């Protein structure tokens, strides 16, 4: 090992696991964006809070940039290390620390996967309700860093709602214990909430106390085929009024084409422009009758063309796969991703405007729309045409994002709903947040991380 800074780190922490092999640098230096060439200095895999703290103190002493790293399933480049940073992977800190039956909380180390959190909660007859397709690989620390949303936000809200306490090593090396699991705490600024969604720029989350809740009542999953976008919002209004929704997600025929080609099973014959997967409480016969009545009403009004209700758990999973398998099915096409939100009421006008704009300016692009329509959160993936060189594709997609940002600004939306700003959307932060807000955000960063060692270049 030739780097003097690393030698000094080993001197401070002789037992620290440190990786410097090219294969490890590549593996830990990237996330799911695949746009940047990984080039980290080394990978540190601490096993304790003390080690994390010592690493951050060392980084301050030597002005080494740190990239906090969880499951690296992010889609905005927040966990990319392409500039000689030290990757601080929380992978080994993946244990359940405590369960409290009275408070109904689960305290976990931040490197634990979302799936392992679900499993641990189920073992106590409770649930941690944040959920999305990357559950098996993403870590709770990464979820906290991006205030992850997912498919159940319509019922349960974002990650933010479920964090009762955090242990964090701030950028200045201080260990902070934020909120300590309290439900009520009116004692000044809520630094815990400030950490959530800060994309690793204020502190490294090492432990989290998660709120758990009762499992939802029995549910039903339904797939609907819809003739147009107006119908999408009409069906949503009817279903939300008549049923108790757990999820309401949409995708287009283009998305379905990809997911079917990737092994998902067709559930509705024929092709329709839009599809909805919805899950709702189905406690008894009456609830099922209400669901069928809602569906029939939508058919009579011309808002729904066809529909399927899952008859078994396996069929419910197959319907969900049509929605949850989309990201994986698009990956071979090297998609340029956008993850935007507008108020629910602004969805139809925004979607209409954006679809017309893209069809006019970029007719050669295959654009895939899908997402959490019930929360006003849309994913817009532009697929790379084979004929277009990489650099030209990125440059055109950046122009698409500029158009998107301008349109979002007019509709009062956000350029990132749940994936974060990271590297990918940094240039567009100003379209979503005012200059005054960004100046205050920079000031906050300066307070927590005066030497700017944590995730520099991300977010700002
Ligand atoms: C989802 O909702 C994820 O499936 C990924 O947020 C979205 O791939 C995407 O663009
Ligand atoms: Zn999503």
């Amino acid at each position: 090992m030739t780097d003097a800074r690393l030698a000094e780190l080993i001197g401070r922490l002789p037992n620290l696991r440190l990786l410097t092999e090219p294969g490890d640098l590549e593996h830990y230096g990237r996330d799911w964006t695949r746009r940047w060439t990984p080039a980290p200095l080394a990978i540190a895999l601490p096993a304790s809070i003390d080690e994390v703290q010592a690493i951050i103190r060392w980084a301050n002493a030597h002005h080494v940039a740190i990239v906090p790293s969880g499951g690296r399933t992010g889609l905005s480049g927040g966990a990319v290390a392409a500039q000689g940073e030290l990757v601080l992977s929380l992978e080994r800190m993946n244990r359940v620390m405590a369960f409290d039956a009275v408070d109904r909380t689960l305290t976990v180390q931040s490197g634990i996967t979302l799936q392992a959190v679900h499993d641990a909660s189920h073992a106590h007859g409770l649930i941690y309700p944040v959920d999305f397709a990357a559950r098996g690989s993403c870590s709770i620390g990464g979820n906290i860093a991006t205030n992850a949303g997912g498919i159940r936000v319509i019922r349960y809200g974002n990650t933010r709602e479920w964090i009762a306490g955090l242990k964090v090593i701030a950028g200045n090396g201080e260990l902070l214990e934020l909120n300590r699991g309290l439900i009520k705490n009116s004692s000044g600024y809520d630094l815990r909430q400030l950490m959530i969604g800060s994309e690793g720029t204020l502190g490294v989350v090492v432990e989290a106390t998660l709120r758990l809740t009762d499992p939802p009542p029995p549910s039903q999953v339904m797939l609907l085929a819809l003739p147009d976008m107006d119908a999408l919002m009409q069906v949503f209004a009817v279903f939300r009024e008549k049923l108790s929704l757990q999820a309401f997600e949409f995708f287009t025929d283009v998305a379905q084409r990809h997911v079917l080609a990737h092994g998902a099973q067709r559930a509705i014959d024929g092709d329709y422009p839009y599809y909805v997967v919805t899950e709702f409480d189905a406690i008894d016969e009456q609830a099922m009758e209400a669901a069928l009545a809602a569906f029939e009403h939508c058919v009579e009004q011309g808002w729904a063309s066809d529909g399927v209700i899952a008859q078994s758990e396996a069929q419910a999973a197959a319907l969900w796969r049509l929605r949850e398998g989309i990201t994986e099915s698009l990956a071979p096409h090297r998609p340029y991703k956008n993850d935007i939100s507008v108020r629910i009421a602004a969805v139809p006008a925004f979607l209409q405007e954006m679809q017309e704009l893209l069809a006019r300016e970029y007719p050669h692009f295959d654009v895939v729309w899908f997402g959490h329509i019930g929360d006003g959160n849309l994913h817009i993936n532009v697929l790379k045409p084979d004929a277009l060189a990489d650099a030209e594709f990125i440059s055109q997609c950046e122009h698409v994002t500029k158009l998107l940002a301008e349109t979002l600004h007019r509709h009062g939306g956000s350029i990132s709903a749940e994936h974060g700003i990271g590297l990918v959307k940094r240039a567009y932060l100003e379209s979503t947040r005012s200059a005054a807000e960004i100046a205050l955000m920079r000031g906050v960063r300066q307070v927590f991380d005066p030497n700017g060692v944590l995730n520099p270049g991300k977010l700002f």
Side-chain angles (χ1 to χ4, degrees), residues 75 131-133 149-151 249 323 327 339 370-372 377-379 417-419:
L75 297 167
D131 193 21
F132 46 91
I151 56 179
E249 302 271 315
R323 162 65 185 88
T327 297
D339 156 49
F370 62 101
H372 321 283
N377 175 190
L378 313 177
H379 297 309
E418 58 173 4
H419 295 172

Side-chain angles (χ1 to χ4, degrees), residues 242-276:
K242 302 288 183 202
L243 305 172
S244 191
L245 297 178
Q246 295 186 21
F248 193 92
E249 302 271 315
F250 94 112
F251 52 93
T252 58
D253 55 339
V254 187
Q256 171 163 277
R257 221 169 52 223
H258 286 283
V259 83
L260 291 177
H262 210 72
Q265 279 169 8
R266 180 183 280 281
I268 290 180
D269 289 334
D271 290 319
Y272 298 90
Y274 293 93
Y275 296 88
V276 161

Side-chain angles (χ1 to χ4, degrees), residues 344 346 365 423 436:
I344 300 168
F365 274 167
L423 289 171

Side-chain angles (χ1 to χ4, degrees), residues 51-374:
E51 282 192 346
V52 175
Q53 188 169 35
I55 292 168
I56 293 184
R57 290 196 167 140
W58 163 84
N60 274 279
H62 293 274
H63 292 270
V64 177
I66 299 260
V67 175
S69 181
R72 296 180 311 286
T73 56
L75 297 167
S76 295
V80 167
Q83 310 266 6
E85 303 95 329
L86 180 88
V87 174
L88 196 169
S89 167
L90 280 305
E91 196 172 274
R92 292 174 72 210
M93 294 176 60
N94 61 1
R95 277 184 300 136
V96 173
M97 305 300 282
F99 167 71
D100 191 311
V102 179
D103 278 308
R104 300 180 125 197
T105 54
L106 189 74
T107 299
V108 295
Q109 292 181 310
S110 61
I112 193 169
T113 63
L114 180 57
Q115 183 65 59
V117 166
H118 287 168
D119 294 345
S121 312
H122 289 156
H124 296 290
L126 296 169
I127 62 158
Y128 173 72
V130 178
D131 193 21
F132 46 91
R135 60 183 78 78
S137 326
C138 68
S139 75
I140 204 77
N143 293 184
I144 292 166
T146 53
N147 185 26
I151 56 179
R152 308 273 166 195
V153 171
I154 195 167
R155 163 73 61 98
Y156 296 106
N158 296 290
T159 298
R160 188 178 292 294
E161 322 289 337
W162 298 94
I163 307 299
L166 289 178
K167 269 191 200 166
V168 172
I169 308 291
N172 64 5
E174 294 283 347
L175 170 64
L176 306 174
E177 287 191 54
L178 305 176
N179 199 58
R180 298 166 201 263
L182 299 175
I183 295 169
K184 301 182 89 170
N185 183 0
S186 186
S187 59
Y189 303 150
D190 192 339
L191 303 182
R192 157 196 55 161
Q193 290 296 347
L194 200 51
M195 284 293 159
I196 302 169
S198 65
E199 301 191 31
T201 62
L202 302 180
V204 177
V205 175
V206 286
E207 222 174 84
T209 296
L210 312 174
R211 287 173 51 216
L212 306 183
T213 189
D214 290 316
S219 60
Q220 264 297 350
V221 178
M222 191 188 252
L223 176 74
L224 296 117
L226 314 181
D228 54 44
M229 195 196 328
D230 285 342
L232 198 57
M233 299 317 283
Q234 302 284 12
V235 171
F236 176 55
V238 172
F239 272 58
R240 189 167 57 168
E241 190 194 327
K242 302 288 183 202
L243 305 172
S244 191
L245 297 178
Q246 295 186 21
F248 193 92
E249 302 271 315
F250 94 112
F251 52 93
T252 58
D253 55 339
V254 187
Q256 171 163 277
R257 221 169 52 223
H258 286 283
V259 83
L260 291 177
H262 210 72
Q265 279 169 8
R266 180 183 280 281
I268 290 180
D269 289 334
D271 290 319
Y272 298 90
Y274 293 93
Y275 296 88
V276 161
V277 176
T278 179
E279 186 160 344
F280 47 85
D281 293 355
I283 304 162
D284 50 22
E285 276 299 304
Q286 232 177 336
M288 278 314 293
E289 277 163 24
L292 288 174
F295 171 66
E296 275 158 21
H297 175 68
C298 291
V299 173
E300 277 160 23
Q301 296 294 322
W303 299 328
S305 312
D306 204 347
V308 176
I309 289 200
Q311 300 299 328
S312 64
E313 273 189 30
Q315 205 185 351
L319 295 184
W320 264 117
R321 184 162 177 213
L322 289 167
R323 162 65 185 88
E324 290 205 294
I326 295 172
T327 297
E328 206 183 309
S329 74
L330 299 180
H333 303 279
R334 320 259 310 274
Y336 181 98
K337 289 179 182 292
N338 287 290
D339 156 49
I340 65 91
S341 68
V342 288
R343 287 180 305 108
I344 300 168
V347 167
F350 168 78
L351 242 165
Q352 178 90 37
E353 195 177 323
M354 223 33 234
Q355 283 185 334
E356 281 170 11
L357 192 67
L358 288 174
R360 197 170 58 239
E361 302 236 352
Y362 289 95
H364 56 293
F365 274 167
D366 211 358
V367 183
V368 187
W369 296 79
F370 62 101
H372 321 283
I373 190 99

